Amino acid sequence: MIQAVMVISTQAKPRLLKFYNFQPPEKHQDLVRSVFQLLSARPDSVSNFVEVDSIFGPGTKMVYKHLATLYFVFVFDSSENELAMLDLVQVFVETLDRCFKNVCELDIVFNFNKSHAMRLDDNSLEGEGPRTLVNHIKQDCRSSSRVTWSPTFRSCVSSCYDDSDVLLTSHSCLAPINLMQMHTILDEMILGGQVIETSSEEIMKSVEEIARLEKQSSTTSLIPKSISERFSR
Amino acid sequence: MEQLRTIGRELAMGSQGGWGQSKEFLDLVKSIGEARSKAEEDRIIARELEHLKRRLADPDVPRRKMKELLLRLVYAEMLGHDASFGHIHAVKMTHDESLPLKRTGYLAVALFLDERHDLVILVVNTIQKDLRSDNYLVVCAALTAACRLIGEEAIPAVLPQVVELLAHPKEAVRKKAVMALHRFYQRSPSSVSHLISNFRKRLCDNDPGVMGATLCPLYDLVLEEPNSYKDLVVSFVNILKQVAERRLPTSYDYHQMPAPFIQIKLLKILAVLGSGDKQASGHMYTVLGDIFRKGDTASNIGNAILYECICCISSIFPNPKMLEAAAETTSKFLKSDSHNLKYMGIDALGRLIKINPDIAEEHQLAVIDCLEDPDDTLKRKTFELLYKMTKSTNVEVIVDRMIEYMINITDHHYKTEIASRCVELAEQFAPSNQWFIQTMNKVFEHAGDLVNIRVAHNLMRLIAEGFGEEDEGADSQLRSSAVDSYLRIVGEPKLPSLFLQIICWVLGEYGTADGKYSASYIIGKLCDVAEAHLTDDTVKAYAISAILKIFAFEIALGRKIDMLPECQTLVDELSASHSTDLQQRAYELQALLGLDKHAVGSVMPADASCEDIEIDRNLSFLNNYVQQALENGAAPYIPESERSGVISVGSYRSQEQQETSAHTLRFEAYEMPKPSLALATSQTSMPTPTVDLVPVPQPGYYKEDHQTSRSQASGDALSGEFGVKLRLDGVQKKWGRPTYSSSTPSSSASSQQATNGGSHSDGGGSTTSSQTRESSYGSKRQQGTEVSAEKQRLAASLFGSAAAKADRKAQTSRKTAKESSSVEKVTVTNVAPQPVKEQVIPAAAPPDLLDLGDEPVSSRTPSADPFSQLEGLLGPASATPVTSETSATSISKAPDLMAIFSDDVPTGATSGSTDPILGDVNSMSSHKGATSVSAKKGPSLQDALQKDATARQVGVTPTGNNPNLFKDLLG
């Protein structure tokens, strides 16, 4: 069973918290802090699993993904498969990426151009400020195909995110204004601590459906659909 | 900044697909993002909360605006601020007609509340209504909230609707209904047990998604009782086969794998069903083989399936071909560069070696690599593997490695765990006692404060018992080597308290035994320990007791010893200590110094820590005294359990539990309340409200025969009755349970009871063999200088398959010996009053040294008051201090000592007499409280429901118990 889903920024700020076993609100911050401490102490290029008995009780494990300035964390017990959970994080991130069209770090994460990464590795961008770099990436994002994420590039991007303006922008998709959407996505994916949907397309479909129906219900108000259809004929 | 603004605008425009947000919210997010410190952030949020409080209470706020306010509230709570004032608004919003608002309300409620929250009762009604809604999104939202908020009590209220929804035309709803039912099952299996067949039915659902969801509850059910689901094995295998053969729609593919999450769940279920069942396992081999063949090791999810296959194969009835395939995949994992796969590989290896230990050999080097990996998770997993494969042949290497790692980590939780594992392995597989003691010393030195105190007592016992009775020479050698090593270590700063306790005990017991060190040298060292740890009373107590023992041994041997000045200061200081325990020890020491050789010898015999002590549980030596007191007109003792008006706490508790478990939501009308006068009546006339209560004893019972009945009763209370029914702490302390968990070491620790059970004859043999092995290991070490050679060697020592069976046997016999010695033998006999002093103290303190069954978690601090324990022994019998003093003087030769006890006797007596009354009052009042609460709770729930319902129907503001709540709710 999945016990918690957390998105924490590299500055230890929670971006999304969802606990499937009730945790009193006053405990949330402690949990975030201790998880963050654990994560920030881990070097790059090690495994994505951490045993967290000391935080969440015996037998609990945690899978995390460090993407740019965010940690995506899933906490679960022994009845789940670690590698599968890692893919579930991937599904979640992919869905978020599909859902939000704005330029954000997730776009950067998924859409960056290979050649761009090459250029970064060549240090040809050295000397240009972080802002320019982000603009570069943004430009590239729009036209690029999806490629996987390399650790070297990640460190480059996170280093240029030190600028706080950029940092805020970069979080736009996970900014709290989108809390509702994020929770909706998560609810479509996990219910009561059990995985119910693992295809990001399906999740997208249902989220879009919800959005459509909600819009409808707020515009057409109380007139039933059948009646309005009849009128239009 | 410019850029930021554009983006902000873009956001506000762009993300407006029905979720438009105001500029205010954006500004809030921005200012929090820019906050330079936590304090600044807190200020911003506090201001925001004030603002929200005002706005939410404002009736003119448009409803659409309310949605945003609520989300801002969720945000504030996520950042760790108390937003409880807004919870009621979230509840209110779930009542809203409009879908977006309703969903927001449900989301907020699910985040804010849990099933035990008071407001949940208001949501239950809405959920009930929404589950019947025509709009499937409303139903979905309600189901999601139900998963979170419906507790045991409310399950019956929504259960019928949820079951109906299992047949809903929309598969999304069916899926969620299945999950909701599963959640209910987890909360309270009994309330949905009659519906379990529904899960089986849903397994045949047309939609693979629903079928996949059904696997979650089925997995839980199978785990609980695999036998009743054996018939499904074939179905599960068929489903798995179809999935693996890509019969599902491609929309279920993930990274080119067909429905991997469903496959994984199925494999988990099969692993449970096939465990130890040859026939069931037979069905699975083909499909497992297929999956292995098709296995995709390039993608993460492919590996996840393969790993699950390995788990399944290692759990079901073994099949050589399957195991071979599993081993092959495991080696692929281990050879991979990815840390994740290595981790899985180590885990898989741990599973496979349970079936075939030889598999590990092939991967020795990979395992060693993982042990030296910078990844902590991987390292820990590897230690877990090593822990699983420890044998007597490799225990030394593994435990050494573990200790080395343990020294370097700071995480207390894991340090504790690995320390306890070291101890466990050392206890189980130790090749020699010498090695065991050395290992334990290391563990205590580095993690002493984290180790269970039981381990320390084990070590002390081992040193005391040695190898057994036959080989006294080896015993004393062991002890003197322990003494040597402790004398070396004792001067070091920052030793853990527990370790110092062991050191003191061993030094006191055996410091002078071999004559190598003079008594004054040891005493000097012990004084240093006591002085260096001024704040640690337990260590001081151990130290002073050790000093006492050494004095005693010296006096018994007829040697004259001089009081060292530092020792004298210590004794003086302790006799004025705030701790009564320390005071007592200091006075005991002084008293002992005044005794002659013979008396000291019998009080404190040398090397007697393993001797049996006899406990006179009936305190029969006090019979004369008691009888005398009775003849003088004292009231007979009535055991607590038989006193009138006392409600046994134990039975009361169980009754309370019954009440709460039976206390569910009632949906039918309540009866008229009965006048609850009975509860308010006075204590004396209190009727016994339930059958559980202890019946009031017949008064005649006591009049029959004073002497016999009284002594019997008190005897009963001592031997059997107490600790079972009575839960009053004071009583427990007074009478001293047989398993006493205090760590107060006492001078009488030497008069410990233990049976040197079992034969340790093999001990000598195993030492020599281990020594030779050690030497060979050492010589090997000298040879190699290359790193790889070193690794090879490490591997060889870890995996060396020379599993000496003899060693195994040796250690099993060791184990049994230990067990037998750990069994406490208490012989109840009527002993003459002569050894009273010995009996009094041992009963209080020492058993924890042996008592393995006990869990002395909280016993690091000296739970001390030995006086109360002593009172316990003397109290009931002695009504006046004078008589007790006479008995004391007549009994013992240490009037000083006994005078201390007698001083305290009056308090003991009075507290003894007041206790039961207090107990009565307590139990009375608590009982009253409980009943009144339960009486109140039911109707108020009902009220709330009714009021809520009527209010919404009629639109009237209700007046009642909780007007504010409803005012809020209804605006």
Side-chain angles (χ1 to χ4, degrees):
Chain A
M1 161 172 184
I2 296 168
Q3 308 211 332
V5 173
M6 299 171 147
V7 180
I8 307 173
S9 77
T10 40
Q11 305 210 315
K13 295 231 172 81
R15 299 269 168 213
L16 177 71
L17 297 178
K18 199 158 180 108
F19 297 97
Y20 291 95
N21 281 340
F22 185 78
Q23 303 277 3
E26 55 274 15
K27 245 185 98 185
H28 289 182
Q29 299 309 305
D30 290 344
L31 291 172
V32 169
R33 211 172 302 125
S34 35
V35 165
F36 179 75
Q37 268 169 11
L38 247 170
L39 290 177
S40 56
R42 283 178 71 77
D44 278 349
S45 75
V46 293
S47 64
N48 300 69
F49 314 131
V50 189
E51 278 160 30
V52 284
D53 318 38
S54 50
I55 307 173
F56 288 95
T60 49
K61 286 173 203 158
M62 172 171 99
V63 152
Y64 71 96
K65 249 189 176 169
H66 183 179
L67 297 173
T69 53
L70 291 174
Y71 289 110
F72 290 84
V73 180
F74 278 44
V75 181
F76 53 93
D77 64 13
S78 58
S79 66
E80 305 287 342
N81 178 316
E82 287 95 333
L83 287 172
M85 282 299 120
L86 193 60
D87 265 325
L88 201 65
V89 180
Q90 183 74 19
V91 170
F92 181 50
V93 177
E94 270 177 34
T95 317
L96 285 179
D97 180 51
R98 281 162 180 240
C99 194
F100 302 102
K101 304 289 188 302
N102 302 302
V103 176
C104 66
E105 63 188 347
L106 285 166
D107 287 312
I108 297 165
V109 170
F110 287 105
N111 298 343
F112 80 93
N113 195 309
K114 234 179 203 162
S115 64
H116 199 109
M118 299 301 285
R119 272 197 284 156
L120 280 171
D121 286 343
D122 294 349
N123 288 329
S124 62
L125 277 172
E126 228 174 25
E128 291 184 64
R131 225 168 275 226
T132 358
L133 175 62
V134 169
N135 285 335
H136 267 286
I137 296 170
K138 267 198 241 164
Q139 276 165 16
D140 282 5
C141 286
R142 303 215 159 99
S143 57
S144 65
S145 59
R146 281 165 191 257
V147 272
T148 39
W149 179 248
S150 84
T152 42
F153 182 67
R154 181 170 79 193
S155 57
C156 277
V157 175
S158 12
S159 68
C160 63
Y161 273 112
D162 287 344
D163 187 306
S164 68
D165 284 0
V166 183
L167 188 75
L168 179 63
T169 344
S170 71
H171 282 309
S172 57
C173 107
L174 280 168
I177 27 180
N178 292 327
L179 261 185
M180 184 75 194
Q181 289 97 313
M182 286 195 285
H183 278 290
T184 310
I185 292 172
L186 214 51
D187 282 344
E188 287 304 313
M189 215 163 93
I190 303 167
L191 187 63
Q194 305 287 346
V195 186
I196 54 167
E197 185 56 70
T198 53
S199 146
S200 57
E201 281 135 69
E202 293 293 317
I203 299 172
M204 273 307 291
K205 259 188 225 163
S206 41
V207 170
E208 274 161 14
E209 175 90 349
I210 291 171
R212 197 174 56 79
L213 287 176
E214 280 197 351
K215 215 170 180 182
Q216 225 170 43
S217 82
S218 56
T219 48
T220 60
S221 68
L222 294 168
I223 307 167
K225 212 176 162 192
S226 52
I227 302 176
S228 62
E229 267 171 14
R230 210 170 292 159
F231 272 116
S232 64
R233 265 180 225 155
Chain B
M1 213 48 216
E2 190 51 44
Q3 189 193 12
L4 182 73
R5 258 178 228 128
T6 19
I7 299 236
R9 226 171 294 135
E10 208 177 297
L11 252 180
M13 310 295 283
S15 65
Q16 225 158 32
W19 352 66
Q21 315 294 345
S22 74
K23 187 166 173 306
E24 264 181 335
F25 196 3
L26 276 178
D27 286 344
L28 171 73
V29 174
K30 207 170 76 184
S31 57
I32 285 176
E34 283 165 355
R36 295 270 168 242
S37 66
K38 179 80 182 132
E40 195 183 335
E41 185 192 302
D42 286 347
R43 264 201 307 282
I44 296 169
I45 295 284
R47 211 175 329 128
E48 168 74 4
L49 282 173
E50 272 309 306
H51 175 71
L52 287 177
K53 208 179 221 166
R54 245 193 346 267
R55 294 291 299 279
L56 283 170
D58 185 356
D60 298 332
V61 176
R63 288 191 312 169
R64 293 194 61 78
K65 191 80 190 157
M66 283 296 281
K67 176 185 160 190
E68 189 197 303
L69 293 178
L70 208 58
L71 283 176
R72 281 155 76 174
L73 208 62
V74 171
Y75 180 50
E77 194 165 272
M78 187 173 83
L79 291 176
H81 294 262
D82 177 40
S84 49
F85 66 86
H87 292 177
I88 187 68
H89 295 283
V91 172
K92 213 164 92 182
M93 197 173 275
T94 60
H95 304 328
D96 204 289
E97 287 299 327
S98 123
L99 179 63
L101 291 192
K102 191 182 259 307
R103 289 190 59 245
T104 314
Y106 272 129
L107 170 73
V109 166
L111 288 173
F112 286 146
L113 312 180
D114 82 321
E115 61 193 67
R116 284 175 293 273
H117 199 281
D118 292 340
L119 291 176
V120 165
I121 198 67
L122 300 176
V123 189
V124 170
N125 201 352
T126 327
I127 291 179
Q128 227 174 349
K129 206 180 73 204
D130 286 344
L131 286 177
R132 289 197 208 95
S133 165
D134 294 335
N135 188 336
Y136 88 97
L137 283 180
V138 172
V139 178
C140 281
L143 280 172
T144 311
C147 275
R148 181 59 186 262
L149 297 172
I150 299 294
E152 204 180 337
E153 296 178 357
I155 288 176
V158 293
L159 198 56
Q161 282 101 321
V162 172
V163 173
E164 254 171 58
L165 289 174
L166 286 174
H168 196 275
K170 273 267 183 198
E171 68 274 357
V173 177
R174 290 205 299 274
K175 204 159 39 173
K176 287 187 174 167
V178 168
M179 297 320 287
L181 207 56
H182 179 207
R183 195 72 176 159
F184 296 163
Y185 176 76
Q186 285 176 333
R187 291 272 155 79
S188 140
S190 57
S191 58
V192 286
S193 53
H194 57 289
L195 296 166
I196 281 172
S197 59
N198 280 301
F199 291 135
R200 281 167 178 262
K201 250 185 260 163
R202 281 300 123 209
L203 195 60
C204 312
D205 199 284
N206 291 328
D207 184 75
V210 182
M211 184 272 295
T214 319
L215 294 176
C216 299
L218 281 173
Y219 176 60
D220 274 11
L221 291 166
V222 166
L223 266 185
E224 222 149 84
E225 41 173 342
N227 282 331
S228 41
Y229 292 89
K230 294 278 184 194
D231 56 314
L232 285 179
V233 170
V234 181
S235 322
F236 285 133
V237 169
N238 270 332
I239 297 171
L240 183 59
K241 207 168 148 203
Q242 288 176 32
V243 174
E245 284 171 1
R246 297 179 180 276
R247 301 265 193 83
L248 293 190
T250 45
S251 63
Y252 287 92
D253 283 8
Y254 175 80
H255 290 203
Q256 280 89 51
M257 289 303 287
F261 285 85
I262 292 181
Q263 286 195 46
I264 288 169
K265 253 299 122 40
L266 280 167
L267 285 168
K268 275 188 186 295
I269 293 175
L270 289 180
V272 181
L273 286 175
S275 164
D277 184 337
K278 195 172 180 181
Q279 201 200 344
S281 306
H283 295 292
M284 301 170 195
Y285 295 138
T286 336
V287 70
L288 288 175
D290 279 352
I291 295 175
F292 262 125
R293 221 170 309 115
K294 286 181 195 157
D296 167 23
T297 47
S299 74
N300 186 51
I301 196 74
N303 285 319
I305 294 176
L306 285 177
Y307 164 77
E308 210 54 62
C309 263
I310 299 175
C311 294
C312 183
I313 283 165
S314 61
S315 155
I316 63 176
F317 193 83
N319 171 308
K321 236 174 109 190
M322 290 290 115
L323 282 174
E324 204 177 292
E328 202 181 302
T329 315
T330 307
S331 74
K332 264 188 216 156
F333 284 171
L334 285 169
K335 281 174 195 149
S336 149
D337 287 334
S338 151
H339 279 83
N340 289 345
L341 287 187
K342 276 188 192 165
Y343 175 88
M344 300 319 266
I346 294 279
D347 188 83
L349 194 59
R351 289 167 192 273
L352 289 176
I353 57 164
K354 266 188 232 156
I355 302 166
N356 181 4
D358 298 337
I359 292 174
E361 262 170 66
E362 192 193 320
H363 306 295
Q364 332 184 336
L365 288 177
V367 172
I368 305 279
D369 276 341
C370 291
L371 208 55
E372 275 151 19
D373 200 275
D375 184 356
D376 226 31
T377 315
L378 191 55
K379 228 183 232 175
R380 287 178 191 190
K381 196 80 195 169
T382 315
F383 274 118
E384 209 179 299
L385 172 71
L386 290 183
Y387 169 75
K388 278 184 202 153
M389 52 184 261
T390 306
K391 294 180 288 217
S392 48
T393 47
N394 57 14
V395 63
E396 287 161 82
V397 191
I398 289 178
V399 173
D400 278 356
R401 281 260 158 178
M402 279 185 167
I403 291 178
E404 201 180 297
Y405 178 61
M406 183 188 80
I407 293 169
N408 293 322
I409 50 175
T410 47
D411 173 3
H412 272 257
H413 182 84
Y414 191 64
K415 205 170 186 169
T416 315
E417 194 182 303
I418 199 162
S420 70
R421 281 191 166 173
C422 284
V423 170
E424 192 187 321
L425 289 179
E427 283 182 352
Q428 207 176 350
F429 296 109
S432 69
N433 284 346
Q434 193 109 27
W435 178 86
F436 179 75
I437 288 172
Q438 275 167 7
T439 309
M440 287 297 102
N441 285 353
K442 269 189 235 161
V443 173
F444 280 116
E445 202 175 331
H446 298 290
D449 290 328
L450 304 171
V451 184
N452 192 327
I453 197 163
R454 179 189 67 82
V455 176
H457 296 148
N458 249 354
L459 178 60
M460 289 190 234
R461 198 189 64 227
L462 185 85
I463 294 175
E465 284 178 12
F467 297 109
E469 284 128 15
E470 288 126 70
D471 197 353
E472 269 305 323
D475 278 6
S476 53
Q477 199 192 340
L478 175 83
R479 287 168 191 161
S480 53
S481 79
V483 169
D484 279 349
S485 63
Y486 288 149
L487 280 175
R488 262 199 312 278
I489 295 171
V490 77
E492 281 177 28
K494 284 190 188 171
L495 287 178
S497 165
L498 196 56
F499 191 37
L500 281 167
Q501 292 166 27
I502 299 174
I503 291 178
C504 288
W505 188 82
V506 171
L507 287 184
E509 202 71 33
Y510 302 111
T512 54
D514 61 352
K516 204 158 133 196
Y517 302 100
S518 72
S520 51
Y521 176 71
I522 304 267
I523 290 175
K525 285 279 183 191
L526 287 169
C527 288
D528 289 347
V529 171
E531 263 162 46
H533 299 85
L534 286 175
T535 47
D536 192 338
D537 277 0
T538 322
V539 170
K540 275 199 275 187
Y542 265 98
I544 188 88
S545 297
I547 293 173
L548 175 135
K549 273 184 249 175
I550 290 176
F551 273 128
F553 298 155
E554 289 297 298
I555 294 170
L557 285 172
R559 282 184 225 152
K560 178 84 189 96
I561 44 157
D562 304 317
M563 194 72 162
L564 295 171
E566 66 223 67
C567 182
Q568 188 60 53
T569 17
L570 179 69
V571 172
D572 290 346
E573 183 204 321
L574 293 190
S575 19
S577 164
H578 286 300
S579 157
T580 47
D581 177 49
L582 290 178
Q583 259 189 46
Q584 186 195 352
R585 287 166 202 280
Y587 279 114
E588 276 174 7
L589 174 59
Q590 281 167 343
L592 190 102
L593 287 176
L595 298 178
D596 67 17
K597 181 181 157 186
H598 181 71
V600 171
S602 60
V603 166
M604 193 66 67
D607 191 15
S609 59
C610 303
E611 304 299 321
D612 280 352
I613 46 164
E614 289 166 332
I615 295 176
D616 180 7
R617 289 217 193 170
N618 284 327
L619 304 185
S620 53
F621 58 92
L622 290 171
N623 280 354
N624 284 336
Y625 169 75
V626 172
Q627 196 165 348
Q628 208 181 340
L630 282 172
E631 276 161 12
N632 290 341
Y637 175 74
I638 307 169
E640 205 117 2
S641 55
E642 288 170 22
R643 273 170 229 170
S644 57
V646 177
I647 296 155
S648 160
V649 180
S651 66
Y652 171 65
R653 279 204 188 139
S654 69
Q655 177 211 354
E656 192 182 32
Q657 265 170 5
Q658 269 178 359
E659 250 175 40
T660 49
S661 69
H663 176 87
T664 49
L665 266 189
R666 289 172 54 182
F667 296 96
E668 72 274 19
Y670 274 71
E671 305 157 27
M672 286 298 287
K674 284 173 191 141
S676 58
L677 277 175
L679 291 169
T681 50
S682 74
Q683 177 192 342
T684 43
S685 67
M686 201 188 87
T688 49
T690 53
V691 201
D692 287 24
L693 302 180
V694 174
V696 183
Q698 299 294 319
Y701 175 77
Y702 292 105
K703 283 173 191 162
E704 277 172 18
D705 184 344
H706 264 295
Q707 278 139 36
T708 51
S709 77
R710 177 197 34 74
S711 68
Q712 224 176 359
S714 63
D716 280 353
L718 274 169
S719 57
E721 198 73 34
F722 68 100
V724 183
K725 270 196 171 171
L726 295 178
R727 292 273 194 82
L728 301 169
D729 285 353
V731 174
Q732 205 177 57
K733 217 175 258 171
K734 221 176 270 294
W735 292 97
R737 293 177 63 194
T739 52
Y740 212 83
S741 64
S742 95
S743 72
T744 47
S746 117
S747 54
S748 56
S750 62
S751 47
Q752 194 43 264
Q753 48 163 329
T755 47
N756 282 338
S759 63
H760 289 275
S761 55
D762 46 322
S766 72
T767 10
T768 52
S769 75
S770 84
Q771 272 165 356
T772 54
R773 195 168 44 245
E774 260 171 23
S775 64
S776 72
Y777 180 63
S779 66
K780 259 199 228 159
R781 178 161 265 182
Q782 282 165 2
Q783 288 165 12
T785 42
E786 277 177 27
V787 187
S788 66
E790 178 126 352
K791 267 186 196 169
Q792 291 275 9
R793 218 175 311 114
L794 182 58
S797 51
L798 280 176
F799 296 89
S801 59
K805 278 182 185 165
D807 276 28
R808 277 248 155 134
K809 219 186 275 172
Q811 103 236 327
T812 44
S813 71
R814 248 177 65 86
K815 236 173 142 186
T816 50
K818 257 183 201 168
E819 271 160 24
S820 72
S821 63
S822 67
V823 175
E824 206 179 328
K825 280 189 194 165
V826 181
T827 42
V828 185
T829 42
N830 293 344
V831 190
Q834 175 253 331
V836 136
K837 183 169 170 282
E838 267 204 47
Q839 282 172 356
V840 164
I841 303 156
D848 65 332
L849 218 130
L850 278 180
D851 190 7
L852 297 173
D854 212 358
E855 285 179 5
V857 186
S858 63
S859 48
R860 199 155 293 159
T861 55
S863 67
D865 46 17
F867 288 142
S868 70
Q869 294 152 18
L870 291 166
E871 282 161 27
L873 289 164
L874 295 173
S878 61
T880 59
V882 188
T883 41
S884 94
E885 203 171 333
T886 54
S887 77
T889 41
S890 70
I891 287 160
S892 109
K893 289 176 187 170
D896 285 354
L897 260 170
M898 294 312 281
I900 302 167
F901 310 149
S902 62
D903 280 320
D904 280 75
V905 166
T907 53
T910 48
S911 74
S913 62
T914 48
D915 254 3
I917 296 163
L918 277 174
D920 289 357
V921 175
N922 280 343
S923 56
M924 267 286 291
S925 61
S926 66
H927 180 76
K928 228 192 279 178
T931 36
S932 65
V933 163
S934 66
K936 214 201 271 172
K937 204 172 173 188
S940 81
L941 291 179
Q942 179 77 1
D943 276 358
L945 269 177
Q946 268 179 359
K947 288 227 175 84
D948 192 34
T950 46
R952 251 182 284 149
Q953 280 164 10
V954 190
V956 187
T957 312
T959 52
N961 288 349
N962 213 344
N964 287 330
L965 195 96
F966 289 100
K967 214 184 283 166
D968 279 342
L969 190 69
L970 301 161

